[in-house]
Amino acid sequence: MNKPIGQTRWAIAEGYIPSWGNGPEPQFTSHETACMLNTSDQDAHVEITIYFSDKEPVGPYRVTVPPRRTLHLRFNDLTDPEPIPRDTDYGSVFESDVPIVVQHTRLDSRQSENALLSTIAYGSND
Amino acid sequence: MNKPIGQTRWAIAEGYIPSWGNGPEPQFTSHETACMLNTSDQDAHVEITIYFSDKEPVGPYRVTVPPRRTLHLRFNDLTDPEPIPRDTDYGSVFESDVPIVVQHTRLDSRQSENALLSTIAYGSND
Amino acid sequence: MNKPIGQTRWAIAEGYIPSWGNGPEPQFTSHETACMLNTSDQDAHVEITIYFSDKEPVGPYRVTVPPRRTLHLRFNDLTDPEPIPRDTDYGSVFESDVPIVVQHTRLDSRQSENALLSTIAYGSND
Amino acid sequence: MNKPIGQTRWAIAEGYIPSWGNGPEPQFTSHETACMLNTSDQDAHVEITIYFSDKEPVGPYRVTVPPRRTLHLRFNDLTDPEPIPRDTDYGSVFESDVPIVVQHTRLDSRQSENALLSTIAYGSND
């Protein structure tokens, strides 16, 4: 691979982690995932900022995606500086020192059958 | 954050609010949401125009997204200049005075299990 | 609105109309929809070409989206030059004489609860 | 058609093939699909690389999309150089010698009603 694919800044305007779900844990826990793909030959140091509707942003949360690896990060698992509250609207911005690709997925298992959504995030190099 | 992420014009070609649903209100009311993220340090004044298949557009609906905030707007909640009719095809355009990111989500609860869809909107600075 | 939003060529790589479904017709008929939004002040003359996995493309199918209107076109409803076969993989390209925005949605009602998918199409002005 | 639509490199950050499902086979086998559309008049020779969270990438997997054809490739069906493990996070990159359009879809049939997701992949000509 000649050149890493992607961009260095990504935004996901939609975020919401339901507080409950149905089905075997942890696969069917309601969750939001940010899938990050780093095709470069360097670590991608990613800083994530979480935006809310009614208070100042929280972050940065720091994660590292190793070279030539994908990281499927559950927002549910973020704890430092603080966990993301459930049943709360949020948005997120990802800033990486190398180009990455970010995709957003939610599994909603609040009712007996799960529902899925996914979309590419909004990417920019600005 | 050095520079706000996003674009100033966004379009969502798909819109449809089912008139009925199942499950506890208001979480499981069938709804369409436009998630707007404003990472800038200024208010984003957003004007929304709603397009129909068989009559002239309605709007602008005006909303403000405060600095460093996300707003998850339910189309169901828009009332001024007039509510969006149910069971009707529509599309929407968002024009903001500062760059924002817009994502579209629908929860359809007409059947006993809900279904979800989401996509990044189409963004442009033109 | 100063300038119409969108692009003149769009592609949807994914297409598949299930031959059967459950639930009240026509809302719960399994269907694929291309939502087109024309924010300009002119008719958008759109030519749609359907691509298959094992035979030459069919088209153009011709539709007109009036000025300042959205058209939610069900692929199920296309008949001229010929209907789109069910249970068959296809893709589609949209070419318009004015900029439009295209979004793709599927309602799959083959099982007792419907499933939804949606994504912005791939747009280009080339 | 004057010029083929699309780009030559595409990335899908999200990938996960559930190991089990419900419903009639093969339509309701849980699967991930990459839909590729080649509107050009030449073969598109596509090389796919699969990225994991904890080991080096595998590939290239080689597929050819004939001129003016769409190919809906199930990741489940890839076997050479090796099958993609189930219940495992992965990402993918597509490199083609002619412009194509790539869209990602998952049918998840682990519960009694299926769920669908779809998104346009991230495209680039770099």
Side-chain angles (χ1 to χ4, degrees):
Chain A
M1 179 141 317
N2 25 21
K3 198 185 153 187
I5 188 168
Q7 309 220 27
T8 54
R9 294 183 78 199
W10 292 86
I12 302 172
E14 218 260 336
Y16 183 85
I17 306 174
S19 59
W20 47 285
N22 290 288
E25 306 268 341
Q27 283 179 317
F28 287 99
T29 308
S30 288
H31 60 267
E32 295 253 339
T33 303
C35 298
M36 289 170 270
L37 177 61
N38 174 14
T39 64
S40 84
D41 293 319
Q42 302 168 246
D43 277 341
H45 301 96
V46 184
E47 296 193 345
I48 305 169
T49 305
I50 304 293
Y51 291 81
F52 298 96
S53 60
D54 56 1
K55 61 175 186 176
E56 285 295 313
V58 173
Y61 297 84
R62 297 178 202 276
V63 295
T64 300
V65 189
R68 300 175 303 280
R69 294 290 184 278
T70 183
L71 176 62
H72 294 200
L73 178 73
R74 288 191 180 201
F75 286 98
N76 307 39
D77 293 339
L78 293 174
T79 55
D80 180 16
E82 60 189 66
I84 298 181
R86 271 48 177 174
D87 294 333
T88 301
D89 292 339
Y90 67 90
S92 51
V93 170
F94 297 71
E95 300 184 271
S96 172
D97 54 356
V98 300
I100 59 173
V101 176
V102 177
Q103 186 174 340
H104 169 224
T105 302
R106 187 200 293 165
L107 173 78
D108 183 334
S109 62
R110 289 175 295 179
Q111 295 189 319
S112 68
E113 310 306 330
N114 63 85
L116 285 171
L117 66 79
S118 185
T119 186
I120 187 76
Y122 173 77
S124 162
N125 282 319
D126 289 342
Chain B
M1 179 143 318
N2 26 20
K3 196 184 154 188
I5 188 169
Q7 309 220 26
T8 55
R9 294 183 77 198
W10 292 86
I12 301 172
E14 217 261 336
Y16 183 86
I17 307 174
S19 59
W20 48 285
N22 291 289
E25 306 269 340
Q27 282 178 317
F28 288 98
T29 308
S30 288
H31 60 267
E32 294 253 339
T33 303
C35 297
M36 289 170 270
L37 177 61
N38 174 14
T39 65
S40 83
D41 293 320
Q42 301 168 246
D43 277 341
H45 301 96
V46 184
E47 295 192 346
I48 305 169
T49 304
I50 304 293
Y51 291 81
F52 298 96
S53 60
D54 55 1
K55 60 174 184 175
E56 285 295 312
V58 173
Y61 297 84
R62 296 177 202 276
V63 295
T64 299
V65 189
R68 302 175 302 280
R69 294 292 184 277
T70 183
L71 175 63
H72 294 200
L73 177 74
R74 288 191 180 202
F75 286 97
N76 306 39
D77 293 340
L78 293 174
T79 55
D80 181 15
E82 61 188 65
I84 298 182
R86 270 50 176 172
D87 294 332
T88 301
D89 292 338
Y90 68 91
S92 50
V93 170
F94 296 73
E95 301 185 90
S96 173
D97 54 355
V98 300
I100 59 173
V101 176
V102 177
Q103 185 174 341
H104 169 225
T105 301
R106 187 201 292 166
L107 173 78
D108 183 333
S109 63
R110 288 176 295 178
Q111 296 188 317
S112 67
E113 310 305 330
N114 63 84
L116 287 170
L117 66 80
S118 185
T119 186
I120 188 75
Y122 173 78
S124 162
N125 281 320
D126 290 340
Chain C
M1 179 140 317
N2 26 19
K3 196 183 153 188
I5 189 169
Q7 309 221 27
T8 54
R9 293 182 79 198
W10 293 85
I12 302 172
E14 217 260 336
Y16 183 87
I17 306 174
S19 58
W20 48 285
N22 291 288
E25 306 268 340
Q27 282 178 316
F28 288 98
T29 307
S30 289
H31 60 269
E32 295 253 339
T33 303
C35 297
M36 289 170 270
L37 177 60
N38 174 14
T39 65
S40 83
D41 292 321
Q42 302 167 246
D43 277 340
H45 300 97
V46 184
E47 296 193 344
I48 305 169
T49 304
I50 304 294
Y51 291 81
F52 297 96
S53 61
D54 55 1
K55 61 174 185 176
E56 286 295 312
V58 173
Y61 297 84
R62 296 176 203 277
V63 296
T64 299
V65 189
R68 302 175 302 280
R69 294 291 185 277
T70 183
L71 175 62
H72 294 200
L73 177 73
R74 289 192 180 201
F75 286 97
N76 306 39
D77 293 340
L78 292 174
T79 55
D80 181 16
E82 60 189 68
I84 298 182
R86 271 48 177 175
D87 295 332
T88 301
D89 292 338
Y90 67 91
S92 50
V93 170
F94 296 72
E95 301 185 270
S96 172
D97 54 355
V98 301
I100 59 173
V101 177
V102 177
Q103 185 173 341
H104 169 224
T105 302
R106 187 200 294 165
L107 173 77
D108 183 335
S109 63
R110 288 176 294 178
Q111 296 189 319
S112 67
E113 309 306 330
N114 63 85
L116 287 171
L117 66 81
S118 185
T119 186
I120 187 76
Y122 173 79
S124 162
N125 282 320
D126 290 342
Chain D
M1 178 140 317
N2 26 21
K3 198 185 152 186
I5 189 169
Q7 309 220 29
T8 54
R9 293 182 78 198
W10 292 86
I12 302 171
E14 217 260 336
Y16 183 85
I17 306 173
S19 58
W20 48 284
N22 291 287
E25 306 269 339
Q27 282 178 317
F28 287 99
T29 308
S30 289
H31 60 267
E32 295 253 339
T33 302
C35 298
M36 289 170 270
L37 177 60
N38 174 15
T39 65
S40 83
D41 293 319
Q42 302 168 246
D43 277 340
H45 300 96
V46 184
E47 295 193 345
I48 306 169
T49 304
I50 304 293
Y51 291 81
F52 298 95
S53 62
D54 55 1
K55 60 174 185 177
E56 286 295 312
V58 173
Y61 297 84
R62 296 176 202 278
V63 296
T64 299
V65 189
R68 301 175 303 280
R69 295 291 184 278
T70 184
L71 174 63
H72 294 201
L73 177 74
R74 289 191 180 201
F75 286 98
N76 306 39
D77 293 339
L78 292 174
T79 55
D80 180 16
E82 59 188 69
I84 298 183
R86 270 48 176 174
D87 294 333
T88 301
D89 293 339
Y90 67 90
S92 50
V93 171
F94 296 72
E95 299 184 270
S96 173
D97 54 355
V98 301
I100 59 174
V101 176
V102 178
Q103 185 174 341
H104 169 223
T105 301
R106 187 199 295 164
L107 173 78
D108 182 335
S109 63
R110 289 175 294 178
Q111 296 190 318
S112 68
E113 309 308 330
N114 64 84
L116 286 171
L117 65 80
S118 185
T119 185
I120 187 76
Y122 173 77
S124 163
N125 281 321
D126 290 341

